[in-house]
Amino acid sequence: MDVSGGSGQPRSGNDEPAEHSADPTAPATGPTDPSGPEPDTPAPRADDTGKDRGDGPDSDSTPGPGEPAGPEHPAPEHRSLAHSGIAKGDPPEPRPKEPGGGILMGRPFGVPVYVAPSWFLVAALITWVFGGQLDRVLPELGAARYLVSLFFAVAFYASVLVHELAHTVAAIRFKLPVRRIQLQFFGGVSEIEKEAETPGREFVLAFVGPLLSLVLAGLFYLAMKPVQPGTVPGVLLAGLMISNLIVAIFNLLPGLPLDGGRMLRAVVWKISGRPMTGTVAAAWVGRALAVAVLIGLPLLNQSGALGGSGEDVGGMDTVTDALLAAILAAIIWTGAGNSLRMARLREHLPELRARTLTRRAVPVENDTPLSEALRRANAAGARALVVVDADGHPLSLVREAAIVGVPEHRRPWVAVSGLAQELTDGMRVSAELAGEELLDVLRATPATEYLVVEESGEIYGVLSAADVERAFVRAMARPTA
């Protein structure tokens, strides 16, 4: 199984949660005010509705006469930078970095392969269950049957890795980035960060995994031919053949998040011309499949249709079957829901535009007192400060969280340079970026604020990661057309 479309929320350098970030009505702003307000410049005003104008993508207002707005964005409401949103409470605490996903086993094709801790649980379970079957088939093995069973568990997951590598190779062939492969409790996941561009590529990307599992099942079947039945090699090869066949058949079931669901999505996408329609269809089939697994799997086991004897099924076996069915059904149901959410996000991603989310900024020099910098910003209706050199070239960005930590009575004695984060190349963002391309740039260089520049190099303003995150959440909550 592979998971495509990793367009997640951008994280800031300190990973502050959204509730501690800037005011949700923080306005989108125009280019930097190069010199602060002139004495005869009228102060910006809030519009008649009481809502800040120019508030990101939801704004449709126009600047009034005399307002220092940019070419596309009106001036914001005249409010204090130091008391906007993030000033409510203490500075946010950083969240821990995201774990790599388990134990790193290698990097085939440059893609890291992780074994999740849950794999050891399922390996122990397979060893125990397969060991019990070996005791009936090869009782002379004694305790050594558990070593054979452990070898089977490792070999089975090696087959799962081959299945996932098939997805990975296809993704690389189609120039789609693969974040990682993870082997976990119920199989493996290839995390492909972008969606295939055409339904044909989507179909191929999904089909190659089950195809490789079928090929492995065939190879293990051919390897059984010269081996004597009832021996350790014969039992192992038979088990690997059957397990790979089950993996292939299960993944071909036509419901998300399984490979068969992605194949169904590709077919509906091709017919309808809309990827979202394909996702909705395959996700709902996946949910129906989850219900069928929850109800049908225990019934099939009790009837003996899956190879067991219906008369031998006891109370503990019934509970085990029901628990396994519930876990499988939950995984499928949750995966189908996640696929719907990701598809809705991809439809709304173009609404995330750097130009409409950027805050107005005021340039200040290194030795400018914080109180004076805030006075200029508030007078200009700005929500950000850019530290520049004597020639007006940007050097650093004053962090909003750092401003909060300075008591008001000390601000005349604190220079902005002590609160600023030095600009790196990754913190310079083009005002033309939008959608997934914008998120990719922000993910590549995590930070709390970014300098937004025009194609000419002129400073446009400052983009806050918290504002992008809020817009991201709004896009997710907005109903799909």
Side-chain angles (χ1 to χ4, degrees):
M1 179 173 68
D2 63 292
V3 178
S4 296
S7 301
Q9 299 185 28
R11 296 198 306 272
S12 65
N14 292 329
D15 283 355
E16 288 91 356
E19 60 267 24
H20 292 294
S21 54
D23 188 347
T25 59
T29 57
T32 305
D33 184 349
S35 59
E38 296 296 330
D40 58 349
T41 302
R45 306 182 303 274
D47 63 16
D48 296 335
T49 65
K51 180 182 177 182
D52 288 354
R53 287 175 295 166
D55 184 15
D58 296 328
S59 172
D60 56 2
S61 58
T62 57
E67 293 182 324
E72 294 186 20
H73 306 290
E77 180 184 8
H78 189 172
R79 63 183 301 179
S80 169
L81 171 69
H83 293 87
S84 61
I86 196 168
K88 300 174 184 176
D90 296 329
E93 293 294 328
R95 291 199 297 261
K97 288 186 178 181
E98 181 184 5
I103 301 172
L104 179 62
M105 302 302 293
R107 294 180 178 271
F109 305 102
V111 177
V113 175
Y114 292 95
V115 174
S118 60
W119 178 85
F120 295 95
L121 177 62
V122 75
L125 180 62
I126 292 174
T127 300
W128 176 60
V129 172
F130 195 68
Q133 295 176 346
L134 281 177
D135 192 36
R136 291 192 292 270
V137 178
L138 297 169
E140 65 274 12
L141 286 177
R145 68 183 184 272
Y146 291 110
L147 288 176
V148 177
S149 299
L150 180 60
F151 177 83
F152 170 78
V154 173
F156 169 65
Y157 266 82
S159 301
V160 172
L161 176 59
V162 171
H163 175 111
E164 297 304 327
L165 284 174
H167 292 305
T168 296
V169 171
I172 293 173
R173 173 69 178 80
F174 294 144
K175 294 181 171 50
L176 301 175
V178 182
R179 182 181 177 219
R180 67 180 178 181
I181 296 173
Q182 187 182 51
L183 301 180
Q184 48 191 227
F185 190 87
F186 273 103
V189 176
S190 301
E191 297 185 13
I192 302 172
E193 294 189 329
K194 290 188 178 180
E195 185 182 68
E197 295 178 355
T198 66
R201 289 186 174 186
E202 173 83 352
F203 189 93
V204 171
L205 193 59
F207 181 60
V208 290
L211 177 62
L212 257 291
S213 293
L214 286 172
V215 170
L216 286 176
L219 291 175
F220 287 125
Y221 174 76
L222 293 176
M224 284 172 53
K225 290 299 185 180
V227 177
Q228 183 178 354
T231 63
V232 170
V235 172
L236 283 174
L237 289 170
L240 290 170
M241 179 199 71
I242 294 171
S243 60
N244 276 278
L245 191 60
I246 291 173
V247 167
I249 293 173
F250 181 72
N251 274 279
L252 285 171
L253 293 176
L256 286 172
L258 302 175
D259 295 327
R262 298 196 61 200
M263 293 162 64
L264 174 62
R265 174 183 182 270
V267 172
V268 177
W269 176 6
K270 178 68 175 178
I271 294 172
S272 66
R274 296 189 70 242
M276 186 63 184
T277 302
T279 301
V280 171
W284 279 105
V285 172
R287 287 175 168 176
L289 181 62
V291 175
V293 167
L294 180 65
I295 298 172
L297 187 60
L299 294 178
L300 289 173
N301 274 339
Q302 288 184 14
S303 68
L306 297 181
S309 173
E311 294 87 11
D312 295 337
V313 177
M316 182 56 68
D317 291 331
T318 301
V319 172
T320 302
D321 292 342
L323 180 61
L324 177 64
I327 294 173
L328 279 173
I331 290 173
I332 297 173
W333 183 279
T334 303
N338 288 339
S339 298
L340 277 174
R341 281 188 289 275
M342 288 305 302
R344 184 168 66 244
L345 164 65
R346 282 193 292 269
E347 279 215 329
H348 291 301
L349 267 183
E351 299 173 14
L352 299 181
R353 295 185 293 274
R355 188 175 293 278
T356 58
L357 293 172
T358 297
R359 299 178 178 186
R360 180 184 299 277
V362 167
V364 292
E365 294 188 354
N366 270 306
D367 56 354
T368 305
L370 177 59
S371 58
E372 171 61 17
L374 292 178
R375 185 196 66 77
R376 296 183 193 176
N378 294 328
R383 296 286 306 284
L385 300 171
V386 179
V387 179
V388 298
D389 62 17
D391 297 323
H393 299 134
L395 301 174
S396 56
L397 300 177
V398 180
R399 293 176 294 114
E400 189 174 17
I403 296 175
V404 177
V406 181
E408 191 167 352
H409 68 276
R410 294 199 64 239
R411 291 175 181 175
W413 318 108
V414 176
V416 292
S417 58
L419 308 175
Q421 180 177 5
E422 184 179 357
L423 280 171
T424 63
D425 289 340
M427 291 172 62
R428 297 173 187 266
V429 176
S430 168
E432 304 304 321
L433 288 179
E436 194 165 353
E437 188 179 6
L438 172 62
L439 295 184
D440 287 343
V441 170
L442 302 191
R443 279 198 299 263
T445 308
T448 53
E449 288 97 8
Y450 300 84
L451 181 69
V452 181
V453 295
E454 298 281 11
E455 292 182 356
S456 62
E458 177 189 359
I459 298 174
Y460 186 77
V462 171
L463 177 66
S464 167
D467 291 345
V468 179
E469 184 174 355
R470 247 189 320 274
F472 183 101
V473 172
R474 286 200 301 268
M476 287 290 289
R478 197 168 293 131
T480 302

